[in-house]
């Protein structure tokens, strides 16, 4: 049993300056993720320099991890956020675009989940003129958001060309871990390991479990990863929100039995982003995550893009500390 927990933040518009990073380190953040779906490692050089300066000033170490693009499917050709209202009709390639394979696979009446299902569209027409969607659940759509077709699996190679570029620069930027998105089979992780070895990058491998296949194959995947990431955003899309707690519990149980470290991520403190205070359910979620044995926990949008970024980290660190003190006083 570990008596400490790794607390990760995510780089983004509200977490990248030296001062912002120092604030987070002082609150207790000891890991940070760069999501390469939004920015390349090379383009994030200033942010990473700021991280190294912050470590130097605070004399504290922060583990830098990169989250690869992997086979994840995202919204294309959207430069700025847009507001989409329920009932609004959207023509693909006009308002935004989708990867070719998604356009090929999507059919009449399919449900298209965007941004982990925050926005939902139904296909009303697909013909030689294009694809027409009706907005079922509207909201603000930001660039590069995740896309999934309910009930359909779209198979892409595990690493894209941008991922190879990222891996080439890992050593030069002091990256210590790589998050592999949408791990489905051992082959995905073997490919990643071979690529890391080819560029002599002895980094930790974090496998993100965020598909049905990932959950089904979890036992055979474990030997190929150092830590499991229970990526509840996309996993919630894949298994359905009402089954997400069961999927999380299944993964946790296997990790406990095999002594495999695991991280819990996504919407830990979503209400803090919206209102500045957490819900009771959120602080409970963090307590149980840590009490039951998560080795790491990660904030995403709550710190990457929120006016309450510091508050979110403060709450996460305080609940974590309280939980660890309680847990080890008991034993
Ligand atoms: N490098 C970045 N540049 C701009 N915005 C970012 C960056 N990284 C993250 N964000 C923003 O922070 C939020 C949460 O980050 P993350 O969880 O990594 O993304 P996502 O939910 O799209 O997978 C998103 O709103 C995203 O737009
Ligand atoms: C952390 C997750 O991945 P991403 O930020 O790439 O959507 C997730 O799906 O929970």
């Amino acid at each position: 049993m570990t008596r400490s927990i790794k607390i990760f933040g995510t780089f983004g518009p509200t977490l990248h300056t030296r001062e912002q990073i120092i604030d987070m380190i002082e609150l207790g953040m000891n890991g940070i993720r760069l999501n390469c779906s939004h920015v390349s490692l090379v383009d994030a050089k200033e942010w990473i320099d700021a991280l190294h300066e912050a470590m130097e000033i605070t004399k504290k170490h922060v583990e830098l991890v990169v989250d690869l693009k992997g086979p994840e499917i995202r919204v294309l050709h959207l430069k700025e956020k847009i507001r989409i209202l329920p009932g609004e009709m959207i023509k693909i390639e006009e308002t935004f675009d989708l990867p070719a394979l998604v356009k090929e696979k999507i059919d009449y009446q399919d449900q298209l989940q965007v941004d982990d299902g925050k926005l939902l569209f139904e296909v009303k027409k697909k013909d030689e003129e294009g694809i027409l969607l009706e907005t079922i659940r509207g909201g603000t759509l930001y660039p590069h958001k995740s896309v999934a077709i309910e009930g359909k699996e779209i198979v892409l190679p595990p690493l894209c060309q941008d991922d190879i570029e990222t891996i080439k620069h890992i050593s030069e930027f002091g990256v210590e871990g790589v998050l592999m998105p949408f791990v489905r089979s051992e082959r995905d992780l073997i490919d990643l390991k071979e690529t890391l070895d080819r560029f002599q990058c002895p980094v930790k491998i974090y496998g993100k479990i965020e598909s049905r296949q990932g959950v089904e194959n979890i036992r055979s995947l474990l030997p190929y990863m150092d830590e499991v990431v229970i990526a509840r955003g996309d996993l919630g899309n894949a298994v359905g929100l009402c089954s997400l707690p069961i999927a999380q519990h299944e993964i946790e149980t296997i990790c406990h039995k095999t002594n495999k470290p695991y991280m819990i991520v996504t919407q830990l403190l979503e209400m803090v982003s919206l209102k500045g205070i957490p819900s009771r359910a959120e602080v409970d979620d963090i307590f149980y995550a840590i009490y039951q044995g998560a080795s790491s926990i990660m904030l995403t949008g709550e710190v990457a893009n929120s006016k309450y970024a510091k508050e979110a980290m403060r709450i996460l660190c305080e609940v974590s500390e309280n939980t660890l003190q309680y847990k080890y006083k008991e034993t």
Side-chain angles (χ1 to χ4, degrees):
M1 273 202 285
T2 70
R3 281 166 191 260
S4 62
I5 182 146
K6 196 114 212 172
I7 295 185
F8 282 88
T10 297
F11 275 114
T14 53
L15 177 47
H16 62 271
T17 66
R18 190 176 68 186
E19 287 62 37
Q20 287 164 341
I21 300 168
I22 289 175
D23 284 345
M24 294 293 177
I25 296 176
E26 281 169 352
L27 288 167
M29 179 183 83
N30 52 13
I32 191 161
R33 167 183 74 136
L34 181 75
N35 188 347
C36 295
S37 293
H38 294 289
V39 66
S40 73
L41 188 51
V42 171
D43 288 344
K45 182 176 182 327
E46 270 185 33
W47 297 5
I48 293 167
D49 287 347
L51 170 68
H52 288 124
E53 285 167 26
M55 287 199 254
E56 184 73 37
I57 291 167
T58 57
K59 306 270 175 275
K60 290 200 173 134
H61 184 73
V62 178
E63 180 180 330
L64 171 63
V65 296
V66 288
D67 199 344
L68 298 176
K69 284 187 167 179
E72 187 170 23
I73 299 159
R74 288 185 176 255
V75 165
L76 302 175
H77 302 154
L78 181 67
K79 288 223 155 37
E80 283 179 1
K81 65 176 182 184
I82 49 165
R83 182 111 190 108
I84 303 179
L85 299 173
E88 202 175 315
M89 301 305 286
I90 302 284
K91 181 117 190 262
I92 294 302
E93 291 177 18
E94 282 181 7
T95 311
F96 58 83
D97 206 357
L98 297 171
L101 207 57
V102 178
K103 291 193 277 191
E104 203 179 289
K105 284 253 177 170
I106 203 164
D107 286 319
Y108 176 61
Q109 288 187 332
D110 273 349
Q111 306 269 307
L112 186 78
Q113 301 159 316
V114 178
D115 191 5
D116 295 345
K118 287 195 188 91
L119 290 95
L120 185 70
F121 304 92
E122 185 172 314
V123 181
K124 286 293 170 192
K125 208 163 90 168
K126 183 184 179 187
D127 56 23
E128 55 293 340
E129 282 173 33
I131 299 167
L132 192 65
L133 305 176
E134 182 183 342
T135 311
I136 309 292
R137 198 158 47 235
T140 305
L141 175 60
Y142 292 86
H144 313 296
K145 284 297 176 183
S146 65
V147 170
I149 309 173
E150 210 175 295
K152 285 191 179 170
E153 194 129 15
I154 295 168
V155 182
L156 293 174
L159 297 173
C160 63
Q161 196 48 44
D162 288 349
D163 291 333
I164 313 281
E165 277 306 305
T166 302
I167 290 170
K168 278 188 197 163
H169 291 96
I170 273 180
S171 307
E172 150 198 351
F173 283 90
V175 173
E176 293 175 73
V178 168
L179 272 70
M180 176 71 200
F182 285 90
V183 175
R184 300 155 296 190
S185 67
E186 291 141 86
R187 192 66 248 167
D188 293 348
L189 292 164
I190 294 169
D191 278 8
L192 172 64
K193 182 81 175 88
E194 283 174 0
T195 313
L196 289 169
D197 288 348
R198 182 147 53 94
F199 293 103
Q200 294 165 351
C201 306
V203 293
K204 257 175 99 171
I205 294 183
Y206 291 84
K208 287 171 86 181
I209 303 300
E210 42 190 349
S211 65
R212 278 178 190 273
Q213 234 185 318
V215 179
E216 279 158 20
N217 295 339
I218 183 81
R219 279 180 193 279
S220 62
L221 300 173
L222 292 180
Y224 300 92
M225 49 173 116
D226 298 295
E227 184 158 340
V228 175
V229 179
I230 308 180
R232 304 187 301 186
D234 290 291
L235 185 58
N237 276 347
V239 300
L241 275 190
C242 299
S243 300
L244 177 62
I246 297 172
Q248 175 170 337
H249 180 71
E250 275 189 15
I251 302 168
E252 287 170 350
T253 306
I254 292 167
C255 288
H256 293 152
K257 281 188 186 147
T258 54
N259 268 326
K260 183 61 78 177
Y262 64 92
M263 179 194 297
I264 294 185
V265 56
T266 299
Q267 288 188 344
L268 287 155
L269 288 171
E270 185 84 350
M271 289 301 287
V272 178
S273 300
L274 300 173
K275 297 194 170 171
I277 52 161
S279 69
R280 269 63 179 162
E282 287 174 333
V283 285
D284 269 15
D285 178 40
I286 297 169
F287 170 82
Y288 283 108
I290 298 172
Y291 188 76
Q292 284 165 353
S295 41
S296 313
I297 196 151
M298 178 189 280
L299 291 179
T300 62
E302 304 97 323
V303 288
N305 200 8
S306 165
K307 65 175 173 173
Y308 300 111
K310 263 178 80 174
E311 188 56 6
M313 187 57 80
R314 189 191 68 73
I315 292 165
L316 180 70
C317 294
E318 196 172 327
V319 179
S320 303
E321 185 54 37
N322 290 346
T323 309
L324 289 173
Q325 276 188 16
Y326 174 74
K327 181 171 172 174
Y328 293 109
K329 196 170 67 190
E330 263 194 336
T331 55

